[in-house]
């Protein structure tokens, strides 16, 4: 049996931008991506703590040490600048492997979205 488990989580980051005219996706500071073990193109779930919205999209890297969290395309309608998000990536793995798996959990500075 295989199960879906949390692989990565970036907890409580603020939206820095919303670009409706972009093709789509979420732009995430590459430092945050690296710390959370998230790769370019990976599907993530976005949970908006301000309005309860949940959506899925794929990740594109933003400039390192920028704190950028920008929702692009249609997803831009689901957030406002300053909203607090939780970003989650999942993995599918064997049930026994999942019992011992430890996800990458990142808790950036809530004011700057930076790691330090």
């Amino acid at each position: 049996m295989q199960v879906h488990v949390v692989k990565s989580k970036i907890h409580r980051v603020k939206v820095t931008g919303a670009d409706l005219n972009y093709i789509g996706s979420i732009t995430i500071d590459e430092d945050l991506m690296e710390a959370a073990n998230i790769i370019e193109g990976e599907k993530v779930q976005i949970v908006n703590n301000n309005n309860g919205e949940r959506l899925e999209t794929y990740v594109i890297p933003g400039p390192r040490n920028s704190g950028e969290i920008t929702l692009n395309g249609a997803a831009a309608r689901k957030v406002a600048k300053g909203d607090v998000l939780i970003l989650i990536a999942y993995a599918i793995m064997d049930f026994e492997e999942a019992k011992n798996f430890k996800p990458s959990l990142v808790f950036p500075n809530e004011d700057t979205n930076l790691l330090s």
Side-chain angles (χ1 to χ4, degrees):
M1 172 176 40
Q2 294 194 315
V3 294
H4 292 252
V5 297
V6 173
K7 177 189 80 72
S8 308
K9 180 169 86 164
I10 302 174
H11 191 76
R12 296 187 60 86
V13 287
K14 286 186 182 175
V15 174
T16 59
D19 185 358
L20 186 60
N21 295 312
Y22 192 81
I23 297 169
S25 68
I26 182 170
T27 304
I28 302 174
D29 177 328
E30 199 165 3
D31 284 342
L32 294 174
M33 289 174 57
E34 199 171 86
N37 197 28
I38 294 173
I39 61 170
E40 182 174 358
E42 186 169 356
K43 180 169 85 170
V44 291
Q45 180 181 45
I46 300 164
V47 180
N48 187 327
N49 285 359
N50 291 81
N51 64 19
E53 290 282 356
R54 289 177 172 256
L55 61 118
E56 292 179 341
T57 191
Y58 62 94
V59 174
I60 59 173
R64 286 187 178 277
N65 201 38
S66 65
E68 182 175 359
I69 301 291
T70 301
L71 277 292
N72 303 302
R77 294 200 183 273
K78 304 289 186 177
V79 301
K81 189 174 178 180
D83 281 358
V84 175
L85 308 180
I86 299 171
L87 311 176
I88 309 164
Y90 298 91
I92 299 171
M93 60 184 67
D94 178 76
F95 183 75
E96 290 302 318
E97 178 186 5
K99 288 180 179 180
N100 297 312
F101 178 76
K102 301 292 183 226
S104 298
L105 307 176
V106 177
F107 300 88
N109 179 299
E110 289 188 35
D111 294 321
T112 64
N113 292 342
L114 300 177
L115 294 172
S116 53

